[in-house]
């Protein structure tokens, strides 16, 4: 396994991170997959308090308990499941963050969360209050570091200016290059690690039938997928190429891949040992489509 430093955190995390949101309801199967991931060198596991209404944290905590000092647990806070089950409500207040951290710690069966992330964020939030909540948890030893999970440039810039966050999780792939315009350079300049999600664009870059994505037509999506296919060689299929494309960005520390089966785990791990993309191949892929730009929250 290969590792990269996560910003100013002092953590070195595997370039493939385990996205837990996709885990099955069968805890025995989940445990086998998680244990194999750890044995393969993956040390970053990402969950959230709303995944499966908290059961995702319970499952992860139980599975990694024997390896707690060897791995990094990341969770998220800010969304609340409405009591009537109709959707989510947003709450970035200090009382909610403090209370949610306590609940997550119990579910995860741990005394601390390595990386606690705001699960979204808007420019209208009480940002200083939110930051104070994370700093309070740090002082109490209940979290080690904090970051945000956001694609909004205006929100990210405020946290860069006002906080000591160590990471930003955001969507980045061949079909979503919006962070390239200003955000990736800003985060790299400030030594804030980027955790890339959506590297496979919901499977559209590897095996799903083409459909419209962002402002790209289904024909343009097919063009991107076909371009990836042309670069397949021995030991490197479309999955590895798509993930490697995301990891080619200097600011990106790890590709967080949603994993629910042993087969998906093995496919993700192969990326680490697959032949890297050459600069020519990266340029070729970047020239396939004109990159998107953020239209809102600039």
């Amino acid at each position: 396994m290969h590792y990269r430093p996560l910003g100013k955190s002092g953590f070195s995390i595997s370039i493939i991170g385990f996205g837990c949101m996709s885990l099955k309801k069968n805890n025995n199967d989940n445990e086998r997959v998680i244990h194999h991931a750890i044995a393969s060198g993956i040390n970053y596991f990402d969950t959230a308090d709303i995944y499966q209404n908290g059961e995702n944290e319970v499952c992860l905590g139980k599975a990694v308990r024997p390896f707690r000092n060897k791995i990094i647990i990341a969770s998220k806070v800010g969304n609340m499941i409405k009591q009537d089950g109709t959707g989510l409500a947003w709450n970035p207040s200090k009382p909610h963050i403090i209370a949610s951290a306590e609940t997550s710690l119990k579910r995860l069966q741990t005394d601390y969360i390595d990386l606690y992330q705001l699960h979204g964020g808007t420019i209208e939030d009480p940002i200083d209050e939110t930051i104070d909540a994370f700093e309070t948890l740090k002082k109490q030893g209940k979290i080690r570091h904090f970051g945000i999970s956001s694609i909004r440039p205006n929100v990210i810039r405020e946290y860069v200016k006002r906080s000591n966050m160590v990471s930003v999780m955001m969507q980045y792939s061949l079909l979503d290059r919006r962070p390239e315009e200003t955000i990736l350079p800003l985060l790299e300049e400030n030594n804030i690690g980027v955790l890339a999600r959506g590297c496979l664009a919901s499977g559209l870059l590897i095996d799903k039938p083409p459909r419209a994505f962002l402002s790209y037509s289904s024909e343009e999506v097919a063009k991107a997928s076909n371009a990836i296919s042309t670069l397949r060689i021995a030991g490197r299929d479309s999955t590895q190429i798509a993930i490697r494309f995301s990891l080619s960005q200097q600011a990106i520390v790890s590709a967080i891949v949603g994993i629910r089966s042993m087969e998906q785990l093995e496919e993700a791990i192969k990326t680490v040992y697959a032949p890297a993309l050459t600069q020519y191949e990266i340029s070729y892929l970047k020239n396939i489509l004109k990159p998107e730009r953020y239209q809102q929250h600039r």
Side-chain angles (χ1 to χ4, degrees):
M1 182 58 64
H2 299 158
Y3 302 85
R4 293 177 180 175
L6 181 65
K8 303 178 284 279
S9 69
F11 299 155
S12 288
I13 70 172
S14 48
I15 64 170
I16 299 297
F18 194 118
C20 297
M21 185 174 70
S22 302
L23 286 173
K24 302 175 183 177
K25 292 183 179 180
N26 187 314
N27 284 344
N28 290 331
D29 287 349
N30 293 338
E31 191 169 289
R32 281 192 290 270
V33 174
I34 290 169
H35 286 182
H36 186 57
I38 295 171
S40 301
I42 291 177
N43 71 344
Y44 179 92
F45 294 83
D46 191 275
T47 183
D49 57 2
I50 60 166
Y51 295 166
Q52 288 92 51
N53 199 17
E55 287 303 309
N56 198 270
E57 287 184 323
V58 173
C59 172
L60 177 63
K62 181 176 180 292
V64 302
R65 192 173 182 184
F67 312 96
R68 182 64 188 95
N69 63 345
K70 297 179 180 179
I71 56 105
I72 292 163
I73 294 177
S75 194
K76 309 184 198 73
V77 64
N79 289 299
M80 300 171 57
I81 298 174
K82 294 181 180 179
Q83 290 185 347
D84 61 7
T86 58
L88 300 175
W90 178 240
N91 189 347
S93 70
K94 182 174 181 178
H96 175 68
I97 292 171
I98 298 293
S100 296
E102 295 288 355
T103 303
S104 289
L105 287 167
K106 290 176 184 176
R107 289 176 182 150
L108 290 163
Q109 301 182 53
T110 185
D111 296 326
Y112 62 93
I113 297 170
D114 298 286
L115 179 65
Y116 206 34
Q117 302 160 98
L118 185 67
H119 203 172
T122 74
I123 202 66
E124 290 80 26
D125 289 347
I127 293 175
D128 289 328
E129 178 185 339
T130 300
I131 293 169
D132 184 53
F134 287 125
E135 290 292 353
T136 297
L137 289 168
K138 277 184 66 178
K139 289 175 184 174
Q140 294 173 345
K142 293 175 180 177
I143 68 172
R144 295 176 69 186
H145 293 285
F146 67 90
I148 62 174
S149 176
S150 177
I151 63 170
R152 298 184 176 194
N154 57 355
V155 172
I156 293 170
R157 282 194 294 269
E158 289 304 310
Y159 277 88
V160 170
K161 286 191 294 186
R162 301 194 210 181
S163 81
N164 293 312
M165 70 174 179
V166 300
S167 66
V168 175
M169 178 178 284
M170 63 174 61
Q171 189 168 293
Y172 181 77
S173 72
L174 182 58
L175 286 175
D176 190 355
R177 293 170 55 200
R178 292 176 295 176
E180 289 180 7
E181 183 184 5
T182 60
I183 294 304
L184 290 181
L186 173 69
L187 295 175
E188 185 176 3
E189 178 184 341
N190 286 274
N191 194 21
I192 296 169
V194 178
L195 303 165
R197 61 177 179 83
C199 300
L200 304 179
S202 301
L204 292 173
L205 289 172
I206 55 170
D207 56 10
K208 295 289 177 65
R211 59 171 173 78
F213 186 86
L214 298 178
S215 68
Y216 295 126
S217 67
S218 58
E219 291 78 15
E220 289 173 314
V221 169
K223 187 177 180 181
S225 177
N226 291 336
I228 282 179
S229 296
T230 65
L231 299 183
R232 289 185 296 191
I233 57 176
R236 191 179 75 184
D237 63 17
S238 293
T239 296
Q240 282 92 55
I241 295 166
I243 296 174
R244 278 283 187 181
F245 176 82
S246 296
L247 288 171
S248 68
Q249 281 286 345
Q250 189 72 24
I252 292 177
V253 175
S254 182
I256 312 305
V257 182
I259 295 169
R260 62 183 285 116
S261 68
M262 203 68 79
E263 292 74 23
Q264 289 176 338
L265 173 61
E266 293 288 2
E267 190 69 18
I269 291 171
K270 287 177 186 176
T271 303
V272 179
Y273 307 103
L277 297 178
T278 65
Q279 285 302 314
Y280 171 82
E281 289 171 329
I282 294 168
S283 297
Y284 164 70
L285 291 175
K286 284 185 172 182
N287 286 325
I288 294 300
L289 298 175
K290 184 178 179 180
E292 287 272 354
R293 295 288 183 260
Y294 287 115
Q295 301 302 315
Q296 298 178 318
H297 316 294
R298 295 184 61 87

